[in-house]
Amino acid sequence: MPKPGPRLRLVDVAERAGVSLATASRALAGRDGVSAEVADRVRQVSRELGYVANPYARTLAGGASSTVGLVVHQIDDPYFSEIAGGVIQVAGEQGLLVQICHSGRNPEHELRQLRHLIAQRVGIILIAGSGYADPGVEAEAKRELAAFQDLGGRVAAIGRHFLGVDAVLPDNEAGGRALGEHLLGLGHTRIAVAAATGGLTTVLDRLSGVDAALRAHGRSLDELPIVHADFTRDGGRIAAERILRDHPGTTAILALNDSMAIGVLATLRAHRIVVPERMSVVGFNDVSVAADLAPSLTTVRLPMTDMGRMALDLALKPRSRRARRRSTGHTLVIRDSTGPAPAR
């Protein structure tokens, strides 16, 4: 059997795994064209033989890797654009390059992106965007990242609970409570929620905060219609259409991110529903365009650019025995899209 070490070749991995050299190369690079079973076998053999470990260890220990891999859910979402801006600021200060990958909120695609970045021998991997309520969905990604860190790579995440890495955690639950309290304080009792699909922890945390606000007023989340759609502007439009059709008495729509809220506002405008006199709307994140909408959007502000900076700062620190957590705080920003509940 080949011995681990600098003389180990890719062909040794391929022979041990019983695949062609081209297949072994595609599997380790995370490229398409290889079945999941074969790719897993090749990666397992490479770990056993030390083929991946030695090149990474030499690259990372020598400081030759000057690239940060940033994986985001949705590159055209201003939330992720602002986070990326913070990452790029710190990277520029440190003389690092940033490679941005887009997962589309698909955990399998995200895993392929991670494997591709690892195969490219980046020095740091950052993952931004909600994790999944089922830890099993991220189990393979967690294993890949743990192996990457064991070889000298550094990892940090934004908004992830179960990856076992340093993380910046947005103040989602407290922010959700602030939005719920705001609408209830304006007298709204017929509130509908526009939420994302896919079992995202961000959605569950924000809903938990809304529920806490409702319970403080003798109500619960179970009483509210929750309409699930994509976490995008189009998803907000779809959710608003369903709310207007199925819950016509609604006086406030609580969208769980600003992109959905923008879609909600577009739909209300198309239906000639006046905001906030007839319907109040709130979002979450306070993306840069939120203040420029007509009407301007009431939302919870998260320090998104700072979150990107915080994540890369964490990754640049020496690895600690326990994963570090950084909370972001939040601010309720009241603008023109909310007002008192209309009289029945």
Side-chain angles (χ1 to χ4, degrees):
M1 180 178 70
K3 295 182 180 180
R7 294 184 180 180
L8 188 71
R9 302 166 300 165
L10 179 59
V11 68
D12 298 321
V13 176
E15 289 176 355
R16 175 71 180 275
V19 300
S20 69
L21 184 61
T23 296
S25 177
R26 285 196 298 271
L28 293 179
R31 298 192 184 99
D32 294 334
V34 183
S35 71
E37 181 181 359
V38 170
D40 286 343
R41 183 167 75 248
V42 173
R43 283 190 290 269
Q44 180 62 33
V45 168
S46 72
R47 285 192 288 265
E48 291 173 355
L49 298 182
Y51 175 76
V52 177
N54 288 328
Y56 281 120
R58 288 197 302 274
T59 300
L60 297 170
S65 179
S66 60
T67 303
V68 177
L70 172 62
V71 182
V72 300
H73 279 335
Q74 201 78 32
I75 191 61
D76 60 350
D77 186 327
Y79 175 79
F80 295 109
S81 299
E82 293 185 36
I83 285 174
V87 172
I88 290 168
Q89 286 177 12
V90 175
E93 295 165 4
Q94 299 294 325
L96 302 172
L97 300 175
V98 179
Q99 178 178 341
I100 302 178
C101 302
H102 167 105
S103 72
R105 295 189 177 88
N106 181 321
E108 293 182 359
H109 187 51
E110 179 179 88
L111 181 59
R112 288 196 296 270
Q113 297 289 340
L114 291 176
R115 286 171 172 164
H116 175 74
L117 290 171
I118 292 170
Q120 295 299 312
R121 301 182 189 176
V122 301
I124 294 172
I125 293 177
L126 305 178
I127 305 178
S130 176
Y132 301 88
D134 178 2
V137 173
E138 298 177 296
E140 186 62 27
K142 182 177 181 178
R143 285 191 288 270
E144 292 281 353
L145 292 173
F148 175 69
Q149 289 192 112
D150 288 344
L151 302 174
R154 291 291 299 119
V155 180
I158 298 172
R160 306 302 276 260
H161 297 356
F162 303 127
L163 287 178
V165 300
D166 291 346
V168 176
L169 299 178
D171 211 355
N172 288 320
E173 187 169 346
R177 179 162 189 162
L179 288 174
E181 292 282 4
H182 175 62
L183 292 176
L184 291 166
L186 290 170
H188 291 279
T189 58
R190 292 169 289 168
I191 303 168
V193 180
T197 55
L200 301 176
T201 54
T202 292
V203 171
L204 297 179
D205 290 346
R206 292 178 183 182
L207 286 175
S208 178
V210 175
D211 188 45
L214 291 165
R215 290 184 182 279
H217 288 76
R219 303 183 60 193
S220 78
L221 192 64
D222 295 336
E223 302 172 26
L224 271 56
I226 302 175
V227 179
H228 294 276
D230 290 340
F231 228 11
T232 62
R233 288 189 297 273
D234 286 344
R237 292 188 183 98
I238 291 169
E241 291 285 0
R242 292 175 183 168
I243 290 167
L244 294 177
R245 181 192 66 203
D246 299 335
H247 310 282
T250 297
T251 65
I253 297 178
L254 193 160
L256 292 185
N257 76 356
D258 287 347
S259 290
M260 292 194 87
I262 292 169
V264 168
L265 288 172
T267 295
L268 296 178
R269 187 164 52 249
H271 284 269
R272 300 182 185 277
I273 295 174
V274 182
V275 178
E277 290 80 4
R278 165 64 180 82
M279 185 86 73
S280 287
V281 178
V282 299
F284 202 118
N285 294 333
D286 196 29
V287 298
S288 57
V289 299
D292 300 323
L293 299 171
S296 56
L297 182 64
T298 294
T299 185
V300 163
R301 176 179 296 158
L302 295 178
M304 292 166 288
T305 300
D306 286 345
M307 286 157 54
R309 294 183 62 91
M310 291 165 65
L312 185 48
D313 283 340
L314 276 175
L316 289 168
K317 296 179 183 295
R319 187 180 180 186
S320 64
R321 182 170 298 179
R322 293 185 177 181
R324 293 166 287 214
R325 296 288 184 266
R326 298 288 186 271
S327 181
T328 62
H330 73 281
T331 304
L332 175 65
V333 182
I334 300 173
R335 298 195 180 102
D336 296 336
S337 68
T338 51
R344 288 180 180 270

